Amino acid sequence: MKENNSEEIDLGQLFKLIGEAFDRFFKLIGTALKSTFHLFISFLKFLRLHFLKFAIAICIGLVIGGYWDHKSEPVYRSSMIIEPNFNSAQQLYNNIEFYNQLAQQKDHETLADALHINEKEALNIKKMSIESFSDQTQRIRQFSAFISELDSISQKQVDYNDFLQNFNNINAKFHKIKIEATSPEIAKKCQKAIVTSIENNEYFTLQKKINDRNIALKDSVIIIQQGEINELQEFYKKVKILEAQKPQGSTSINLAENQQDQMSGIELLNQARKLKDEKIELNNEKANTKNTINIISEFPNKGVLINDFFNRKLVLLPIVFSTILFLILILFQLNTYLKNYE
């Protein structure tokens, strides 16, 4: 009986502790909700008290922003998508950053010389940028190509998530170059200079020459191998014809002796198909590496007018003025609170 009573007492204390824990939890939630509601109401009262001031700040921002937009020159954006070869992406990023710094610093003479345009045209350029242009499918393909170059042990140590963690803009296959200028035609005039700045680089020129020689060598080897396979196939055909034309009872020619290194007819066909696939792959590589920079999509003849809603001064200035006024009023209220604080 005593053991049963002690067990009932222990269970009663346990349920009491659980109940108290739930009670404290719900009280905490209630306090948090009350505090949030209090802050919300205080914010509404603050806006109601200073409504006229905020209305004036917004009106001033609308007037100044509208006038600013009216007087500002229209800005046009042009984009070009390219595919760098021979690890030239890093140099391309450096060049675009250099051009953008010249535009920001208003060093139009140096910018005009770098882009092979006149100084008056360089005045129109406001901003230049470059960013990677890749999606999930392209990254998966790049991961497959990366894995295929590793040995079996290294392949087990690298997974797709590791590849993505070390993936950056430079690793992307395609890149987008953007030019913002007050002239819609200026980007097209800069296209050749941007591309040739990479193609005329001595290091990339050497890399391209070596690549072209390697492709030519592979191509000649494949042609020789295809010729040898064709000769062997013709030889087997002639032998089969001779065997078919022999009279019955005559001595047969046994080609099985000492022919362990010769390929059978099926093996020859498989090898010919393999060489054909290598030839196709080599032709694709030759086309993709014809230039140091492959232009996937050129700059348009005329850029698109930038009319982004949140980039307009008519929208930005009222937000900025309202934010500044809000911070000033908060500081005044905080100062009053500190004066009365004991």
Side-chain angles (χ1 to χ4, degrees):
M1 293 292 294
K2 291 182 179 179
E3 292 180 357
N4 291 335
N5 290 334
S6 64
E7 289 179 359
E8 290 177 359
I9 292 172
D10 291 340
L11 289 173
Q13 290 178 346
L14 177 63
F15 284 121
K16 183 179 179 181
L17 290 173
I18 292 174
E20 290 176 352
F22 273 105
D23 186 53
R24 286 195 298 269
F25 175 71
F26 286 117
K27 283 183 178 179
L28 181 63
I29 293 177
T31 303
L33 290 175
K34 287 179 180 179
S35 300
T36 304
F37 182 74
H38 174 71
L39 287 174
F40 178 69
I41 295 299
S42 299
F43 178 71
L44 291 179
K45 290 177 65 178
F46 176 81
L47 292 180
R48 181 186 174 188
L49 180 63
H50 303 288
F51 176 78
L52 183 61
K53 298 174 185 176
F54 280 107
I56 294 173
I58 292 173
C59 290
I60 293 174
L62 288 172
V63 172
I64 298 177
Y67 180 78
W68 194 341
D69 285 335
H70 178 71
K71 288 295 182 180
S72 298
E73 290 184 282
V75 180
Y76 302 87
R77 180 187 293 128
S78 302
S79 301
M80 176 174 66
I81 300 175
I82 53 93
E83 178 188 10
N85 290 320
F86 316 119
N87 298 319
S88 58
Q90 182 63 66
Q91 183 63 49
L92 183 64
Y93 271 73
N94 292 340
N95 289 1
I96 297 299
E97 184 180 357
F98 172 67
Y99 300 148
N100 184 59
Q101 288 178 353
L102 293 177
Q104 298 296 320
Q105 296 170 3
K106 301 186 184 302
D107 189 355
H108 302 116
E109 183 179 354
T110 307
L111 182 61
D113 184 60
L115 295 176
H116 301 162
I117 55 178
N118 58 55
E119 190 171 345
K120 185 178 180 181
E121 291 172 330
L123 285 169
N124 297 316
I125 299 176
K126 302 301 179 184
K127 182 180 179 182
M128 295 184 69
S129 61
I130 183 171
E131 61 184 13
S132 62
F133 185 78
S134 62
D135 54 19
Q136 188 71 12
T137 303
Q138 292 173 359
R139 293 181 181 180
I140 291 174
R141 289 177 178 174
Q142 286 183 265
F143 175 70
S144 300
F146 172 72
I147 284 294
S148 63
E149 297 176 354
L150 302 177
D151 55 73
S152 57
I153 298 176
S154 300
Q155 288 177 357
K156 295 178 181 178
Q157 297 176 349
V158 179
D159 59 13
Y160 183 64
N161 291 328
D162 294 332
F163 177 78
L164 286 182
Q165 288 178 358
N166 294 285
F167 189 90
N168 54 40
N169 290 338
I170 306 298
N171 302 130
K173 185 176 182 181
F174 301 110
H175 304 266
K176 181 186 288 187
I177 299 174
K178 296 179 182 179
I179 293 181
E180 296 181 6
T182 54
S183 171
E185 298 92 1
I186 193 63
K188 191 69 174 179
K189 297 180 180 180
C190 300
Q191 176 176 305
K192 186 177 180 180
I194 293 173
V195 175
T196 54
S197 67
I198 304 298
E199 292 182 343
N200 293 338
N201 184 288
E202 292 184 5
Y203 173 77
F204 300 125
T205 302
L206 178 61
Q207 292 295 315
K208 185 180 181 306
K209 287 182 180 179
I210 293 174
N211 183 76
D212 292 343
R213 291 174 184 173
N214 291 337
I215 289 177
L217 180 61
K218 291 178 184 178
D219 195 14
S220 62
V221 170
I222 290 175
I223 292 173
I224 293 172
Q225 290 177 338
Q226 287 177 331
E228 291 174 349
I229 289 176
N230 290 335
E231 290 178 0
L232 283 173
Q233 287 176 331
E234 291 295 328
F235 173 74
Y236 279 127
K237 288 179 182 179
K238 291 179 181 179
V239 171
K240 289 179 180 179
I241 292 173
L242 290 174
E243 287 184 342
Q245 293 177 348
K246 286 185 304 178
Q248 295 182 354
S250 60
T251 304
S252 61
I253 302 174
N254 187 3
L255 293 173
E257 296 178 357
N258 300 322
Q259 292 187 5
Q260 295 180 355
D261 296 332
Q262 292 184 3
M263 293 185 297
S264 65
I266 297 176
E267 289 174 337
L268 283 175
L269 289 174
N270 290 335
Q271 187 65 22
R273 190 179 298 110
K274 182 180 178 182
L275 288 175
K276 183 180 179 181
D277 293 338
E278 289 181 4
K279 182 74 173 178
I280 293 173
E281 185 178 350
L282 189 64
N283 288 336
N284 290 332
E285 184 182 354
K286 187 187 298 184
N288 292 331
T289 58
K290 182 179 179 181
N291 301 307
T292 307
I293 298 292
N294 293 333
I295 300 176
I296 309 300
S297 176
E298 297 184 348
F299 281 125
N301 292 328
K302 286 190 175 182
V304 179
L305 178 65
I306 298 177
N307 197 23
D308 299 337
F309 182 76
F310 288 103
N311 285 335
R312 299 172 63 184
K313 303 299 184 297
L314 185 66
V315 178
L316 287 176
L317 287 185
I319 296 174
V320 171
F321 286 0
S322 299
T323 304
I324 293 173
L325 177 62
F326 177 78
L327 293 175
I328 292 173
L329 293 174
I330 287 293
L331 289 174
F332 275 116
Q333 193 163 336
L334 177 62
N335 183 53
T336 304
Y337 174 79
L338 291 175
K339 285 181 178 179
N340 299 328
Y341 181 78
E342 293 182 2

